[in-house]
Amino acid sequence: MKEILFYLPAVGSYDQLKKGFAGVNDKNYQNMLFQITKQAQLADDLGYWGVAFTEHHFHIEGFEESNNPILLDLYIAMQTKRIKVGQMANVLPFQNPIRLAEDLAMLDQMTGGRSFIGIARGYQKRWADVLGQTYHVGATFSDKSERDVANRQRFNEHWEIMKALWSERTTSLKTENWQVPPPGIDFNHEAVNTFGGGQDDQGVITEVGIAPKPYQKPWPQVFQPFSFSEESFRFCAREGIVPIVMNTNNEVISRLLDVYQEEAEAAGRGALKRGEGVGIFRDVLVSRDADEAHYWARRGNGFIFPNWFGPMGFAEVMRNPGETGQIGSDYDTLCERGFEFVGTPDDINRQIEKLVSQHDPEYLLQWQYPGPVPHDVQMRSIELWASEIAPNWL
């Protein structure tokens, strides 16, 4: 199983977050950069597979201050040696796909092929509807609404543009909202025909290409967090993308993995092993003392989830089939439903044993909380995982 540390990242201690506006405190942000650097360096030395950051904007509260995961990736990559860096994820519908394809290719070149890519559709209205106005699309929560359909259409469209730019020397394509290049660009530059391409005899640009291309060919491994619907799993299976499962119910997870295997085989990817090409997402904190681990986890995800993610609908990932009514998002519910991998190495080894026997995921995305969980506690957690948990599940 390949371990990926996932950082929002949170900015500010538990007490600072509770006071408000922790995200605009310069000292808090510098402390966060210091902590994720040291933690990523330790993970690098201990053999973790990767580290990832999200994309969200306007986070004055400090809960997930990560408006540019690509920059954070490069920052960490320049201070590590082997660990892969990536995004969980870039929100495609609200970005220029040409610029994003270029930036991701540059990151892969600058890291010598140590990058991976994450793509998502966007669910936080505060920023998505502000940034998305240029593309006339808004946030969604996979509810089959008109807004949801428009969001998915943009997501698919931008993904196809990025793939073409990565894989073809020069390309031209027309989609519902894009024409690359637009007609009638009279460039008429001899150097284009002599040293490049994409210009006709009249000097009109007919194709364009990005440079550099990704270091990894045709592009780095791609992930899609957090996937809930069968439609998303079928898309990922066809595209060779790793979906990251946030759900906690084993029956729901099994069905999604069934769908992934079925669709992958139908798309010509062969008969995948159970869990191959799939990731599971859990909050992780390891300590020699279980009470200590839960104390700090309660101040990390146990504080942020019910205050931020739960009210936005993420408690639904813990719903059991046929269950009605509201699902709690408090820390006790997160533990009871199996989202918290928190405790001693022995406690977590037992949880991993169940996870592997039932689903055997190729990747485990581990939620980390710099700030509300003290730096020394997280450093010990990373080390304990690497020394007393990871060796059992290679």
Side-chain angles (χ1 to χ4, degrees), residues 68-84:
N68 192 326
I70 298 173
L71 274 181
L72 284 169
D73 284 341
L74 185 59
Y75 180 79
I76 293 300
M78 294 298 98
Q79 301 178 85
T80 53
K81 300 173 183 177
R82 293 174 295 276
I83 196 167
K84 293 180 179 291

Side-chain angles (χ1 to χ4, degrees), residues 193-210:
N193 290 335
T194 303
F195 305 110
Q199 180 176 265
D200 68 15
D201 294 340
Q202 286 71 50
V204 175
I205 298 299
T206 59
E207 292 192 339
V208 292
I210 66 167

